Amino acid sequence: MLTTLLKGKLHMAAVTQAELWYDGSCAIDADLIKLAGLREFEQIDILNVNNGERFTTYVIVAEAGSGTISMNGAAARKVQVGDRVIIVSYGQFDEQEASQYKPKLVYLDENNGVERTTNTIPVQVA
C-alpha cells in the first residue's frame, strides 16, 4: 500500500504576476523549485491565503534568483498580484519510505526571499 505525503512546500510565497494569456501553469523561480524539491511539469496545489481559493496546476521554470511566482492561464483568475500563497506537492511512498521521509519546507518573506528551510512542522499546541 502507498501513502500520500507532503513532499515539498513553498510557504507564504507572494504572487508576482498573473498572466491570463500565457500557457497555463505556475512559473516559479528555479532556485525555489530546487529548494522545495519540485520539478518542472510536476503537479502542485496552490492554496491562496488571501481568498481561500485552492486549485491544482503544474510547475514551469522561471529565471533563477528572480523571485517569480506567476500564475498563468486560468490560474491567473484565482489570484491577485501580491496575494500570499502556499505551493505544495505530494508524493506516494511505501511503508518503508514513509517511515523515513522528511519533506522539504521553504518559508518565504514578502519578496519571496528565503526566511528558513526545514523538514519538520512543530506540534500544534491548543
Side-chain angles (χ1 to χ4, degrees), residues 92-105:
Q92 293 190 320
F93 303 86
D94 65 29
E95 290 303 315
Q96 182 177 353
E97 292 170 320
S99 69
Q100 299 173 6
Y101 186 76
K102 299 288 185 189
K104 294 183 177 184
L105 311 175

Side-chain angles (χ1 to χ4, degrees), residues 6 13 18 37 58 65-66 81:
L6 177 66
Y58 60 92
S66 66
V81 171

Side-chain angles (χ1 to χ4, degrees), residues 6-124:
L6 177 66
K7 184 173 82 71
K9 173 170 84 164
L10 294 169
H11 189 77
M12 298 301 282
V15 175
T16 60
Q17 294 173 255
E19 302 291 339
L20 184 60
W21 300 110
Y22 194 82
D23 287 345
S25 54
C26 177
I28 303 172
D29 177 317
D31 293 337
L32 298 177
I33 289 172
K34 185 175 181 179
L35 276 174
L38 304 175
R39 55 188 312 155
E40 188 174 21
F41 304 120
E42 181 174 3
Q43 179 178 311
I44 53 174
D45 285 342
I46 308 291
L47 318 174
N48 189 327
V49 176
N50 289 78
N51 65 19
E53 290 278 359
R54 300 170 73 95
F55 55 95
T56 301
T57 188
Y58 60 92
V59 175
I60 63 172
V61 178
E63 180 182 2
S66 66
T68 297
I69 302 291
S70 180
M71 299 303 160
N72 301 319
R77 298 260 190 218
K78 304 282 190 180
V79 300
Q80 297 290 318
V81 171
D83 282 358
R84 301 299 290 271
V85 297
I86 301 167
I87 300 171
V88 294
S89 70
Y90 303 95
Q92 293 190 320
F93 303 86
D94 65 29
E95 290 303 315
Q96 182 177 353
E97 292 170 320
S99 69
Q100 299 173 6
Y101 186 76
K102 299 288 185 189
K104 294 183 177 184
L105 311 175
V106 182
Y107 293 81
L108 303 174
D109 65 21
E110 64 277 357
N111 298 309
N112 294 330
V114 177
E115 288 185 341
R116 66 188 170 94
T117 62
T118 187
N119 61 14
T120 61
I121 297 174
V123 173
Q124 185 171 342

